[in-house]
Amino acid sequence: FTAVRPFYALTTDADRDRSLHEVLWPVGMSKDLGEERDWRFLLAYGHDFDTHRDRSRHRGMVFPLVFWGRDKHDQAYFSIFPLGGTLNEFLGCDRIVYALFPLYAQSVTDNLYSKHFLWPLITYARSEDVFRFRVFPFYGVSADEGEYTKRFVLWPFWTQAEYFGAGHSGWSYILFPLFGRTRT
């Protein structure tokens, strides 16, 4: 450990292949752990998954406006929020493309393709087995072939579901806050 407080501090651990540089703590820092590096300066943040490769997977942001990076498939992305752009491997999605958020967005998660208009009010999503459509809070349906179909009308006042899977088939509905029933 070496430091000239509060200007600079360096902590190293050769056994764990780890180093931590702090500048004007808590203003900035850079942390190396093996081949990965995290850095932060004020509201800017970055993560490099392999510092030994020039075109490695990485991500960065100047929160909450600018995002950039390269995903695990070597695809570069860039975004200026809320104007538009592309975000890969973000918020649980493989890819998000948007323009004038929340007016329009589309996302891909595994093989589920979704389109959003006035997010989160109007959504259409489709995959090989799944279908979802929602005009929130007026009507919505979500179906997974062979598993379930769920609907709402004037959420939360009317919701219903049908389950088709072996060992957990049945149905349910709720007229909130008056009555509900489930049969499995």
Side-chain angles (χ1 to χ4, degrees):
F1 177 75
T2 306
V4 178
R5 295 278 184 195
F7 304 106
Y8 178 76
L10 169 63
T11 305
T12 59
D13 182 348
D15 293 338
R16 293 176 43 202
D17 195 16
R18 179 182 186 266
S19 66
L20 173 64
H21 299 263
E22 296 173 310
V23 178
L24 294 173
W25 186 89
V27 173
M29 74 88 180
S30 174
K31 177 173 60 175
D32 293 315
L33 182 58
E35 58 197 29
E36 294 189 44
R37 174 175 293 148
D38 284 302
W39 62 267
R40 175 185 42 78
F41 187 79
L42 296 175
L43 296 176
Y45 160 84
H47 182 89
D48 189 338
F49 290 82
D50 186 353
T51 58
H52 304 303
R53 290 183 39 220
D54 290 336
R55 291 178 52 94
S56 71
R57 178 179 174 208
H58 67 274
R59 64 177 57 121
M61 70 177 76
V62 178
F63 187 79
L65 301 174
V66 181
F67 302 83
W68 67 90
R70 179 174 307 283
D71 68 15
K72 63 185 175 186
H73 303 293
D74 199 34
Q75 296 292 314
Y77 60 91
F78 182 79
S79 165
I80 298 178
F81 186 81
L83 299 178
T86 302
L87 296 163
N88 294 355
E89 302 174 338
F90 189 73
L91 296 175
C93 296
D94 297 329
R95 184 176 185 89
I96 300 170
V97 178
Y98 70 95
L100 299 174
F101 186 83
L103 293 181
Y104 175 78
Q106 65 183 40
S107 62
V108 178
T109 305
D110 295 326
N111 64 349
L112 182 67
Y113 296 86
S114 304
K115 291 186 185 267
H116 311 272
F117 304 92
L118 294 172
W119 182 88
L121 300 179
I122 302 170
T123 300
Y124 172 83
R126 190 110 180 118
S127 74
E128 187 175 306
D129 299 331
V130 175
F131 169 77
R132 295 181 186 152
F133 176 74
R134 171 180 66 208
V135 179
F136 190 78
F138 305 107
Y139 176 77
V141 61
S142 177
D144 187 339
E145 188 176 310
E147 291 294 319
Y148 63 80
T149 300
K150 301 175 183 179
R151 289 183 173 79
F152 70 82
V153 177
L154 296 174
W155 185 89
F157 299 109
W158 179 259
T159 58
Q160 71 182 53
E162 295 175 80
Y163 302 96
F164 310 111
H168 64 274
S169 61
W171 51 264
S172 65
Y173 62 87
I174 297 175
L175 178 59
F176 181 81
L178 302 174
F179 185 76
R181 187 160 185 202
T182 299
R183 183 169 189 157
T184 59

